[in-house]
């Protein structure tokens, strides 16, 4: 029997993020820039994992930093089986046309009940006509 350490599991959970500027919901004249982001969590481990909590650090172009913590994602604490993915879409509202988000998910290996963190690499939020 092979035991998987939280560190090894962390490398078997991959996160992809696809941000999108929401023109129809934004109001640049009012410093309201709305972005959606679709997150796909891939479980390439041999164990089921459950996503329990999220942490986001949102850095706006103005330098303002906002931190968001909470249970699960979009009202769920999804169970992700071996070889499965979980996808959801959420949004962020900035006061300018550019920003950066990064964060982490707290997960648990359902076989061992050991919690572990999965880092979400920084990704850029950029409105139209912004340098990518």
């Amino acid at each position: 029997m092979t035991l998987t350490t939280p560190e090894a599991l962390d490398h078997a959970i991959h996160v992809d993020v696809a941000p999108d500027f929401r023109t129809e919901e934004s109001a640049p004249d009012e410093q309201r820039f709305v972005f959606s982001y679709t997150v796909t969590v891939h479980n390439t481990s041999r164990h089921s994992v459950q996503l329990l909590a999220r942490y986001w650090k949102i850095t706006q172009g103005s330098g303002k930093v906002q931190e968001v913590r909470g249970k699960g994602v979009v009202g769920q604490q999804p169970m992700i089986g071996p070889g499965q993915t979980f996808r959801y879409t959420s949004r962020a509202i900035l006061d300018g046309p550019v920003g950066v988000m990064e964060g982490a998910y707290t997960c648990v290996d359902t076989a061992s009940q050991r919690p572990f963190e999965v880092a979400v690499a920084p990704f850029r939020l950029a409105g139209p006509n912004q340098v990518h």
Side-chain angles (χ1 to χ4, degrees), residues 40-120:
T40 305
V41 181
H42 306 271
N43 180 2
T44 61
S45 76
R46 293 182 291 172
H47 300 269
S48 290
V49 300
Q50 185 173 16
L51 194 159
L52 299 177
R54 71 186 180 285
Y55 163 75
W56 289 115
K57 178 181 174 185
I58 305 164
T59 305
Q60 302 199 37
S62 65
K64 178 180 169 185
V65 175
Q66 178 183 6
E67 295 188 30
V68 178
R69 296 177 191 276
K71 286 186 175 183
V73 291
V74 294
Q76 300 179 53
Q77 291 183 314
M79 189 77 67
I80 310 166
Q84 294 183 339
T85 61
F86 176 77
R87 178 176 289 130
Y88 73 94
T89 300
S90 192
R91 61 189 212 147
I93 301 171
L94 305 185
D95 60 13
V98 294
V100 175
M101 285 182 66
E102 61 187 294
Y105 295 124
T106 301
C107 297
V108 66
D109 175 345
T110 60
S112 69
Q113 294 300 306
R114 290 180 68 180
F116 63 97
E117 296 286 314
V118 176
V120 179

